[in-house]
């Protein structure tokens, strides 16, 4: 907190002084992490078969649209 970083993941239930967290930010972070996990399930994205940035981005868009 001293450096301006806000906790997003909630503290454990047994912590004596739990830090406050932003539920909305936690939900958004979780949603984004799940999306990246699903995208990495596509072998072509995980192994980066495409040589150019443009073709990789195109397939990334196709995979995201499919999800």
């Amino acid at each position: 907190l001293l450096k301006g970083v806000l906790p997003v993941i909630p503290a454990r239930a047994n912590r004596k002084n739990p830090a406050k967290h932003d539920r909305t930010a936690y939900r958004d972070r979780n949603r984004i992490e799940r999306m990246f996990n699903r995208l990495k399930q596509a072998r072509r994205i995980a192994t980066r078969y495409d040589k150019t940035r443009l073709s990789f981005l195109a397939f990334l868009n196709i995979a995201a649209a499919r999800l």
Side-chain angles (χ1 to χ4, degrees):
L1 292 175
L2 296 175
K3 294 184 179 185
V5 178
L6 299 175
V8 176
I9 300 174
R12 290 182 176 236
N14 62 355
R15 188 168 175 177
K16 290 185 180 183
N17 296 324
K20 296 192 184 286
H21 68 282
D22 186 3
R23 285 180 151 319
T24 308
Y26 178 64
R27 185 178 20 199
D28 293 342
R29 178 181 181 268
N30 188 10
R31 182 183 288 160
I32 291 169
E33 282 187 8
R34 287 191 320 234
M35 182 199 63
F36 274 108
N37 187 20
R38 282 190 222 127
L39 283 174
K40 286 183 179 181
Q41 303 267 329
R43 185 173 175 212
R44 186 171 174 177
I45 292 175
T47 56
R48 183 90 194 249
Y49 283 145
D50 300 312
K51 299 296 181 198
T52 64
R53 187 177 74 182
L54 186 61
S55 63
F56 179 72
L57 185 60
F59 187 75
L60 192 62
N61 287 332
I62 291 170
R66 194 184 87 206
L67 292 176

